[in-house]
């Protein structure tokens, strides 16, 4: 139902305290377009203060914690998020408009488990050792020592705000770093609320800081001489700008960027399972998942069947509504600006000769939701593999179905992109699973499933989708510095 909104203040969080500034910007509720909060924009002074606090905290009580005590504290943060579950849920829904059914199953639980899962990552992963023969016969021992990288700048996007920010803050803190977070300007609430949790569980001041603003605030972080590493999730173009900005100060970087992920449905796929998973991969979170499937290659022998069944899924399994309604599983996109982008691709698809199987526009509610950022779930056929709609990342609830005839052809089509984040394929042939999976140029390949995440596994993209891997032990390469110690006997 319609929310009674009281406009909240979202100050920066610096050195354990909330810090207001004179310049604020509006945060809107995408369901109706109403203002829900005023975020306080950080300038140079606030960014400098946040970075200085983070630097000082490295040498304060935080830096002196044993690994075990630090892990305990990181687990306490996870519990702290769980205790405030309803507050996080409400904040995330107000910023994104996403249904409670999605945020309560995906965003908030994962936001908590990102701390729990990485709490012990450093303790549980030994470093390498090598015995070395020396010419004098005495020998030497080499062993690795990991230490925190230092102050980490986290720049995060709006599609899964808490989940993606904590996927970085969790391992960063577990490894003993301190962080300055710049959340997306359209979804600043949960990162702000996290400051309260940090204070509630006794995380020392300066360990976790949040600065609000647009790309210019992000730039103050990327160019800051006293930040040791930037971990970024967002668009590929932004990533490239950030890489240029960090070059003069020679920071480390971990980059998770855009995708145009292929789905493949082979002729031997289990279609009940395929439609269920494909439906999620095209439409979950209103298509605003970096791992989503905006182009699906379907074997020509089952093309019509898949088209009809996916159409039925979009029309009968997805339910628009207010976020708190039990039946709602499809929300608005995050902002009017993004809605305009998605709708421009809906128009372009028709110009490029698409047949609209379903959707193609925006719904009308005849109530206050018409002020919100809604678009219809959309499926196209008739687009060529090299059309702009089938090659550019739209980040909306839409997909192009394209027929193929054989396995070698479809592998080429799937790989014919600058992106390389995820790929998903459906088959019941075990040999095909192992033949095709390693040929797909993607950091993550799902077979007969989608978005089935194990936090111990590597996460990241190849080509223009990313640089480096996070997740499990893989994040250690970014979140720690590894020194080799060579001891001669
Ligand atoms: P953007 O790249 O627009 O923004 C990401 C963050 O970067 C925001 O906080 C943004 O601030 C900030 N930013 C923008 N410009 C600069 C700059 N010059 N210097 C420093 N920071 C800057 O991404 P979106 O928020 O639009 O997110 C959607 C994108 O994220 C999609 O491309 C999607 O594929 C990708 N993504 C990738 C994932 C992955 O794991 N590979 C996961 C999820 C999303 P602000 O917007 O407030 O100005």
């Amino acid at each position: 139902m319609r929310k009674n909104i009281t406009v909240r203040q979202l100050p920066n969080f610096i050195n354990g305290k909330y810090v207001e500034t004179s310049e604020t910007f509006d945060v809107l509720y995408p369901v109706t377009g109403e203002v829900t909060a005023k975020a306080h924009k950080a300038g140079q002074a606030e960014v400098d203060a946040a970075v200085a606090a983070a630097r000082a905290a490295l040498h304060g009580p935080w830096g002196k914690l044993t690994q075990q005590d630090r892990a305990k504290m990181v687990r306490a943060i996870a519990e702290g998020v769980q205790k405030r579950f309803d507050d996080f849920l409400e904040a995330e829904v107000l910023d994104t408009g996403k249904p409670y059914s999605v945020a309560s199953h995906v965003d908030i639980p994962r936001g908590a488990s990102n701390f729990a899962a990485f709490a012990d990552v450093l303790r549980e992963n030994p470093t390498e050792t090598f015995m070395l023969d020396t010419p004098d016969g005495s020998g030497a021992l080499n062993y690795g020592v990991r230490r925190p990288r230092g102050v980490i700048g986290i720049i995060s996007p709006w599609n899964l705000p808490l989940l993606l920010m904590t996927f970085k803050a969790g391992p960063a803190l577990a490894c003993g770093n301190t962080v300055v977070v710049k959340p997306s300007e359209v979804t600043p609430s949960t990162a702000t609320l996290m400051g309260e949790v940090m204070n509630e569980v006794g995380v020392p001041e300066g360990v976790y800081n949040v600065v609000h603003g647009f790309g210019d605030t992000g730039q103050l972080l990327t160019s800051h001489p006293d930040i040791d590493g930037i971990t970024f999730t967002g668009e590929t173009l932004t990533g490239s700008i950030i890489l240029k900005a960090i070059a003069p100060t020679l920071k480390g970087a971990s980059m998770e960027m855009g995708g145009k992920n292929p789905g493949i449905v082979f002729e031997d796929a289990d279609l009940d399972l395929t439609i269920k998973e494909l439906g999620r991969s095209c439409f979950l979170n209103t298509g605003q998942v970096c791992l989503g499937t905006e182009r699906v290659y379907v074997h020509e022998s089952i093309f019509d069947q898949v088209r009809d069944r996916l159409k039925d899924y979009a029309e009968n399994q997805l339910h628009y509504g207010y976020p708190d309604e039990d039946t709602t599983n499809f929300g608005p996109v995050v902002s009017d600006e993004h809605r305009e982008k998605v709708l421009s691709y809906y128009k372009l698809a028709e110009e490029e000769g698409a047949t609209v199987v379903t959707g193609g526009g925006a719904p009308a509610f005849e109530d206050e939701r018409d002020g919100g950022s809604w678009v219809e779930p959309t499926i196209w056929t008739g687009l060529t593999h090299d059309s702009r709609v089938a090659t550019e990342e739209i980040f909306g609830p839409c997909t192009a179905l394209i027929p193929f005839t054989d396995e070698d052809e479809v592998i080429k089509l799937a790989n014919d992109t600058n992106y390389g984040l995820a790929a998903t394929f459906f088959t019941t042939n075990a040999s095909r699973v192992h033949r095709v999976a390693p040929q797909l140029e993607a950091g993550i390949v799902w077979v007969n499933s989608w978005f089935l995440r194990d936090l111990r596994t590597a996460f990241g993209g190849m080509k223009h989708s990313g640089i480096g891997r996070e997740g499990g032990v893989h994040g250690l390469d970014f979140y720690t510095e590894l020194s080799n110690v060579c001891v001669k006997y």
Side-chain angles (χ1 to χ4, degrees):
M1 61 186 195
R2 184 169 188 181
K3 279 186 189 300
N4 285 326
I5 289 170
T6 311
V7 176
R8 298 157 300 142
Q9 299 295 316
L10 297 174
N12 303 283
F13 184 71
I14 299 171
N15 207 24
K17 292 174 194 61
Y18 284 102
V19 175
E20 300 196 344
T21 56
S22 53
E23 189 181 346
T24 62
F25 56 90
D26 290 344
V27 183
L28 306 179
Y29 184 38
V31 173
T32 58
E34 290 160 274
V35 176
T36 67
K38 302 265 180 197
H40 291 245
K41 189 171 185 304
Q44 185 75 57
E46 289 75 28
V47 171
D48 283 347
V51 175
R55 174 67 53 197
L58 284 173
H59 307 293
W62 176 250
K64 295 188 177 65
L65 286 178
T66 61
Q67 270 185 25
Q68 198 165 0
D69 286 343
R70 196 169 64 228
K72 215 162 132 187
M73 194 164 269
V74 172
R75 277 195 297 274
I77 300 171
E79 285 158 22
V81 174
Q82 286 291 0
K83 272 194 206 137
R84 304 281 304 268
F85 193 97
D86 290 347
D87 297 336
F88 277 97
L89 187 60
E90 191 60 15
E92 203 72 303
V93 168
L94 281 171
D95 280 4
T96 61
K98 61 177 84 186
Y100 283 78
S101 61
V102 174
S104 65
H105 283 97
V106 182
D107 301 69
I108 313 306
R110 266 289 302 280
S113 62
N114 279 337
F115 288 102
F118 294 117
D120 291 305
V121 69
L122 202 51
R123 266 164 58 77
E124 287 171 356
N125 289 286
T127 53
E128 61 192 14
T129 58
F130 294 103
M131 309 287 279
L132 177 71
D133 291 333
T134 55
D136 64 4
S138 59
L141 170 69
N142 286 290
Y143 64 92
V145 177
R146 287 195 187 272
R147 71 194 81 199
R149 183 181 278 273
V151 178
I152 305 289
I154 297 178
I155 300 182
S156 51
W158 46 254
N159 60 321
L160 298 160
L162 181 70
L163 187 159
L164 290 170
M165 185 278 283
T166 55
F167 185 61
K168 295 168 179 304
L173 298 189
C175 290
N177 300 284
T178 58
V179 300
V180 180
V181 177
K182 208 302 274 174
S184 166
E185 96 264 3
V186 287
T187 55
S189 295
T190 47
T192 312
L193 186 54
M194 187 61 80
E196 291 183 23
V197 171
M198 296 291 167
N199 284 347
E200 281 157 13
V201 304
V203 173
E205 58 192 25
V207 171
Y208 174 87
N209 305 274
V210 181
V211 289
H212 294 304
F214 302 77
D216 53 347
T217 308
Q219 271 170 33
L220 293 174
L221 287 185
T222 55
S223 59
H224 204 289
D226 213 22
I227 287 186
D228 301 294
I230 292 285
T231 174
F232 166 77
T233 302
E235 283 183 26
T236 295
L237 181 62
T238 315
S240 145
I241 294 168
I242 286 177
L243 284 175
K244 273 187 221 139
I246 66 177
T249 47
L250 297 172
K251 296 173 177 57
S254 175
M255 310 296 289
E256 295 178 349
M257 301 181 280
K260 188 73 179 182
N261 311 300
I264 306 172
V265 187
F266 287 103
E267 63 278 20
D268 51 25
D270 170 341
L271 284 194
D272 287 343
L273 179 146
T274 301
I275 297 303
K276 191 165 144 258
E277 296 296 312
L278 204 53
R280 288 174 58 242
S281 77
C282 297
F283 304 118
L284 182 75
N285 208 36
T286 318
Q288 302 163 117
V289 181
C290 53
L291 310 159
T293 311
E294 288 188 353
R295 54 190 176 116
V296 182
Y297 302 96
V298 184
H299 192 268
E300 58 187 1
S301 63
I302 53 167
F303 188 85
D304 290 356
Q305 227 181 323
V306 170
R307 178 200 59 206
D308 293 347
R309 291 188 64 172
L310 199 61
K311 173 181 193 295
D312 179 63
Y313 182 100
E315 292 177 354
N316 297 311
Q317 302 289 319
L318 300 176
H319 305 289
Y320 301 98
Y322 288 100
D324 61 342
E325 286 164 1
D326 287 346
T327 50
T328 304
N329 60 6
F330 189 85
V333 294
V334 77
S335 64
D336 267 359
E337 189 186 341
H338 191 53
R339 176 179 188 261
E340 290 317 308
K341 175 183 168 183
V342 174
L343 289 177
S344 75
Y345 278 96
Y346 285 13
K347 187 160 167 273
L348 178 65
E350 294 189 39
E351 287 162 15
E352 291 191 313
T355 300
V356 179
V357 176
T358 190
F365 295 96
E366 310 296 333
D367 60 28
E368 68 282 352
R369 284 173 292 179
D370 288 336
S373 309
W374 297 84
V375 298
E376 291 174 336
T378 295
I379 301 169
W380 302 287
T381 57
L383 284 165
T384 57
H385 160 75
D386 58 358
S387 61
R388 281 185 55 202
V389 169
T391 52
E392 296 174 13
E393 182 184 51
I394 302 169
F395 221 54
C398 51
T399 200
L401 304 182
I402 299 172
F404 74 92
T405 48
D406 71 59
E407 189 178 295
D408 287 344
E409 175 206 6
V410 79
I411 291 169
K412 277 201 197 92
L413 291 173
N415 290 339
D416 183 24
T417 167
N418 284 333
Y419 292 113
L421 186 55
T424 305
F425 68 93
F426 299 90
T427 178
T428 50
N429 178 332
S431 302
R432 174 172 267 158
V433 168
H434 299 293
R435 194 168 59 234
V436 172
Q439 295 186 66
L440 293 173
E441 293 168 1
I444 303 149
V445 178
W446 277 291
V447 184
N448 295 326
S449 63
W450 178 75
F451 207 180
L452 189 55
R453 285 279 296 129
D454 180 333
L455 292 175
R456 294 169 298 184
T457 62
F459 183 87
M462 43 176 89
K463 303 198 270 188
H464 291 188
S465 288
I467 299 175
R469 295 288 181 275
E470 299 201 19
V473 61
H474 309 280
L476 290 179
D477 287 339
F478 175 73
Y479 292 111
T480 65
E481 290 285 5
L482 178 63
S483 305
N484 184 68
V485 179
C486 178
V487 184
K488 188 163 186 301
Y489 297 140

